[in-house]
Amino acid sequence: MASILVVDDDPDHLELTLARLRTGGHEPIGADSPARALELFQSEPLDLLLTDLEMPEMSGLDLLREVKESDPTVPVVVLTGHATVGTAVEAMKTGAFDYLQKPIHAPDLLVVIERALREKELVSENIRLRQELRDKYHHKNLVGTSARMREVFRLVEKIGPTSSTALILGESGTGKELVARAIHEASARSHRRFVRVNCSAITETLLESELFGHERGSFTGAFARKKGLFEIASGGTLFLDEIGDTPPGVQAELLRVLQEGEIRRVGGTEDIVVDVRVITATNQDLKKQIAEGRFREDLYYRLNVVSLQLPPLRERKEDIPLLVEHFLQKKAGGGEHPRPDPRVLALFNGYPWPGNVRELENVIERALVLCEDNTLTAHDLPEDLRVFIGSTGPEDFPTPSEVRSPPLDLARASLEEMERRHIEQVLIAVEGHREKAAQTLGISRRTLYEKIKRYHLGRREFS
Ligand SMILES: Nc1ncnc2c1ncn2[C@@H]1O[C@H](COP(=O)(O)OP(=O)(O)OP(=O)(O)O)[C@@H](O)[C@H]1O
Ligand SMILES: [Mg+2]
């Protein structure tokens, strides 16, 4: 049952309107002043506001403004006398759903109310679905819709709250650092520090002092006592990146810390208890490193309590359109941004992305600099990408047999349009493979067929 608030300073008129609404099957609440209406509005959820325009202390127009400001989704219908038709027009401009002229004709009242309630329902549904889409495809800055990325999101949520060490594996640019941060965010440690250290970038001595700290004079250049990152990250997470390149001496020390939960500063004698969750990442094959004697097997087992393998981008191409949109939005800082022309997406789909998501991000960044009007075209892409596809001019680019839909303005799109576009994009990404498309969309094949028919997507070629 919808809750409708009626505001009128004329008690007889208020009673009459309430009675009419009750006859129509509603359960309205009455307020004899805008002040009372605002009070009610703030204390309980409302589906619709019906207000007189002319009232002594505050006009219906001001009430409308206040209500719209605090909840723009609530439809407001205004009641106007003959003298206030001009104000009614202004009310419409301010965001009123509709107006009714007094004396109110009861059937008109009910029709307008029904329409307004229906609209409110649609708006809420639209917001809810959009939120759902966002939650489904975005996970703490991680974007992805492929089954494999969704599995990654699930694992992040699962292992986040535990304090166990985690090993993240994947090619360069697949998002290992982003996943490490997401695990930290999903943990009870999220309000404490996340500290990253690159284990391959510095010498053994420096890395040791970085991680464990040092006492004054413990080596040349150690002028003062220094805290290590294990101490600095205490209570939080320490992310050891490129763990595969850790020098042997540091590996031994790390093993000790993980076993005992204590560190000793370089040149120090005291053991310091630390409470740090360790997450590591590498793009190396650790098993091979172990076989070659370059990585300690005992340390490997300590680090590999849970492991997460990030798939390369070429194995989850259905994520590309979403990632492209994500990077365009990110670079635009939330403002308007250019849209890729469908050929660009088709090109992206055919490229193997050796540098994975990072390469895609760089390509987008570069294209944005080169792009002239509001469309990213194949001309804005790097030479090697175009050469790979084996074409020289945009004319030869693989392109769908029919021109695809123009860019969509999300803020103004209807739910149907969003659905149609989304299905279209997924079909493009999976090259028309309906089984895969249904899986990605999380619907049955039958539902997909129905939607393809409804939106006339069937005759297209998506590869
Ligand atoms: N799923 C994703 N959604 C959004 N952005 C992503 C995703 N994966 C990676 N990125 C972005 O791609 C870039 C590379 O990611 P990241 O640095 O985490 O990769 P990496 O696996 O650590 O690479 P490397 O092994 O080279 O260090 C970053 O800018 C990151 O924000
Ligand atoms: Mg990295």
Side-chain angles (χ1 to χ4, degrees), residues 176-177 196 241-242 358:
K176 294 185 293 295
E177 184 169 346
R196 169 182 181 265
D241 208 355
E242 322 289 355
R358 179 180 295 111

Side-chain angles (χ1 to χ4, degrees), residues 174-193:
T174 46
K176 294 185 293 295
E177 184 169 346
L178 217 52
V179 165
R181 287 181 191 277
I183 293 175
H184 172 72
E185 288 302 320
S187 75
R189 298 168 176 266
S190 63
H191 60 289
R192 306 299 278 275
R193 296 188 61 168

Side-chain angles (χ1 to χ4, degrees), residues 73 120 200 251 285 310 332 386:
T73 68
K120 151 98 181 167
S200 76
Q251 287 184 30
D285 182 349
L310 297 186
R386 284 188 279 162

Side-chain angles (χ1 to χ4, degrees), residues 1-5 41 44-49 67-68 70-77 95 97 111-129 415:
M1 176 92 38
S3 55
I4 302 174
L5 178 62
F41 181 73
E44 47 200 293
L46 275 186
D47 294 313
L48 190 142
L49 179 74
V67 165
K68 279 283 165 189
S70 66
D71 185 355
T73 68
V74 172
V76 178
V77 175
F97 176 77
V111 167
V112 169
I113 296 288
E114 288 305 331
R115 263 203 300 122
L117 287 175
R118 168 129 183 76
E119 155 134 337
K120 151 98 181 167
E121 217 169 88
L122 281 177
V123 170
S124 313
E125 177 72 357
N126 203 339
I127 291 172
R128 191 185 63 76
L129 281 171
L415 204 54

Side-chain angles (χ1 to χ4, degrees), residues 332-461:
E336 280 286 305
H337 60 74
R339 306 274 166 178
D341 123 2
R343 285 174 174 176
V344 167
L345 288 180
L347 253 176
F348 283 176
N349 211 38
Y351 182 67
W353 299 106
N356 293 295
V357 185
R358 179 180 295 111
E359 184 180 7
L360 176 62
E361 185 170 7
N362 292 340
V363 165
I364 298 288
E365 199 157 356
R366 175 183 186 276
L368 277 175
V369 174
L370 296 179
C371 143
E372 296 200 322
D373 40 43
N374 249 336
T375 314
L376 295 185
T377 68
H379 288 292
D380 308 323
L381 303 179
E383 183 77 22
D384 32 334
L385 202 147
R386 284 188 279 162
V387 166
F388 180 88
I389 304 296
S391 57
T392 45
E395 295 73 29
D396 329 323
F397 288 162
T399 177
S401 52
E402 277 182 54
V403 179
R404 300 233 170 81
S405 319
L408 182 63
D409 181 351
L410 277 184
R412 278 178 270 277
S414 75
L415 204 54
E416 272 210 324
E417 182 63 6
M418 293 237 311
E419 183 176 82
R420 189 182 74 73
R421 298 289 185 102
H422 185 59
I423 294 174
E424 184 185 53
Q425 293 248 312
V426 170
L427 281 167
I428 293 170
V430 301
E431 298 175 345
H433 194 298
R434 297 192 179 185
E435 177 101 40
K436 277 192 205 158
Q439 219 171 31
T440 303
L441 290 162
I443 57 178
S444 70
R445 263 207 308 190
R446 200 169 135 211
T447 311
L448 177 65
Y449 281 122
E450 279 163 11
K451 289 188 190 290
I452 286 177
K453 213 167 124 197
R454 162 141 48 105
Y455 297 131
H456 306 290
L457 294 167
R459 285 170 298 103
R460 309 253 190 115
E461 282 168 34

